[in-house]
Amino acid sequence: MVVFVRGTVPAREFALHHTLQTVPDAEFEIERIVSSSERSVMPLSWVRGGEHEATATALEEDPSVEDATLLADFDDEWFYRMEWVDRVELILRMVTSANATILDAYGGNERWMLRVMYPDRDSLSAMDEFCTDHGLTFDIESVRQLDGEPAGRFGLTGEQYEALTTAAQRGFFQVPRETTLQELAEELGVSHQALSERIRRGMDALVDDTLLIKPPP
C-alpha cells in the first residue's frame, strides 16, 4: 500500500547548508531529483530570496555542490541544475534502496521539508532504521496511506472530494458561476452550511498538500 510522508531534515545534515547559512534569505524549491551516480544526486531547483550574485557565489563555494548551472533567470527567481556530492546519504537512500519518490523538497529557515512517496510501510520502516543507524534526522510530521480511493491521493476526506469534484463539474468555480451553493447542497443531500465547510476545508487541505510544502516562518 503506497504511503505518503511529510517530514523535515535539519539543514546542517543536508546539501546546501553552506549556501543557506551564507544567504539566510535564500529559499530552494526542488523540481525534480535523480541520482547521477552512487555518490551524488542531480536536482533541478528554483532559487528565490536574497541577492542573486551572493547566492551564486555561495553555491560556487558550497562543498556539497559540485556544479550549479543557471538554466533560467526570471529576475526575482532563478532555475538551476545542480549536482550534490556531500550530505546526500539520506536522499540517495530514498531514491535508490528505499525505492521512494521525492515529490517535493523545500529548503529554507535552516531546515528542509520533504514530501516522499514510499511503495509500502516496510520501505518507510527501513528508511527510519537507516536514519537511526547512521545518525541522520528525518522527523516525520504526517503519514498518509493511499487506500485506493481517489480522495486519498490529495489528502482529502471522501466527503470533501465529492463536494469539490461535484462543484467543479457543475461550474461552481467558473466566473460567472453556473450553479449556487444551495443547489449543490440539495444535489448532495446536505445542508448549505455543511457543504460550505466541506468545500473550504477541502480547498485548504488540497492547497496545503500540493502547494504549501514549506517550513513555517
Side-chain angles (χ1 to χ4, degrees):
M1 189 74 71
V2 174
V3 177
F4 293 91
V5 176
R6 288 178 64 171
T8 60
V9 181
R12 65 180 180 276
E13 297 181 17
F14 209 76
L16 299 180
H17 183 222
H18 169 80
T19 301
L20 289 172
Q21 277 193 317
T22 305
V23 189
D25 293 334
E27 301 176 351
F28 291 84
E29 183 175 352
I30 305 304
E31 187 85 4
R32 182 170 62 88
I33 295 178
V34 296
S35 58
S36 58
S37 71
E38 294 182 354
R39 296 183 178 180
S40 65
V41 294
M42 185 174 291
L44 296 175
S45 175
W46 289 99
V47 185
R48 307 180 182 93
E51 295 292 333
H52 188 201
E53 184 176 345
T55 302
T57 300
L59 286 171
E60 290 179 1
E61 299 172 349
D62 198 315
S64 68
V65 180
E66 182 75 18
D67 178 58
T69 302
L70 179 64
L71 300 179
D73 185 341
F74 297 99
D75 294 331
D76 58 348
E77 61 179 3
W78 314 282
F79 193 47
Y80 275 90
R81 182 180 64 241
M82 306 179 188
E83 184 173 8
W84 293 349
V85 296
D86 189 31
R87 301 183 186 181
V88 293
E89 296 88 351
L90 176 63
I91 207 164
L92 272 173
R93 178 74 178 190
M94 286 179 174
V95 300
T96 55
S97 302
N99 294 319
T101 300
I102 299 174
L103 303 174
D104 300 281
Y106 174 91
N109 298 319
E110 284 300 304
R111 65 173 178 161
W112 284 81
M113 173 77 78
L114 278 66
R115 188 162 63 104
V116 187
M117 182 178 70
Y118 290 90
D120 48 49
R121 281 190 173 271
D122 289 342
S123 299
L124 173 58
S125 297
M127 187 71 243
D128 186 57
E129 292 178 6
F130 175 83
C131 290
T132 301
D133 293 343
H134 292 79
L136 299 173
T137 305
F138 183 44
D139 291 325
I140 295 176
E141 297 189 348
S142 69
V143 177
R144 189 177 77 249
Q145 187 165 296
L146 184 61
D147 57 7
E149 295 296 325
R153 302 176 191 172
F154 310 106
L156 302 172
T157 66
E159 292 177 340
Q160 291 168 353
Y161 180 83
E162 181 185 33
L164 288 172
T165 54
T166 302
Q169 291 166 355
R170 301 296 182 269
F172 180 73
F173 300 116
Q174 296 297 318
V175 180
R177 286 179 174 171
E178 298 175 2
T179 189
T180 67
L181 193 65
Q182 184 60 46
E183 290 171 336
L184 286 173
E186 292 174 359
E187 178 178 346
L188 294 173
V190 299
S191 68
H192 179 284
Q193 180 64 26
L195 181 59
S196 176
E197 290 180 1
R198 287 181 191 178
I199 289 178
R200 291 202 309 272
R201 290 176 179 173
M203 290 292 290
D204 182 65
L206 187 61
V207 171
D208 181 68
D209 193 68
T210 58
L211 299 180
L212 301 183
I213 309 301
K214 298 183 180 183

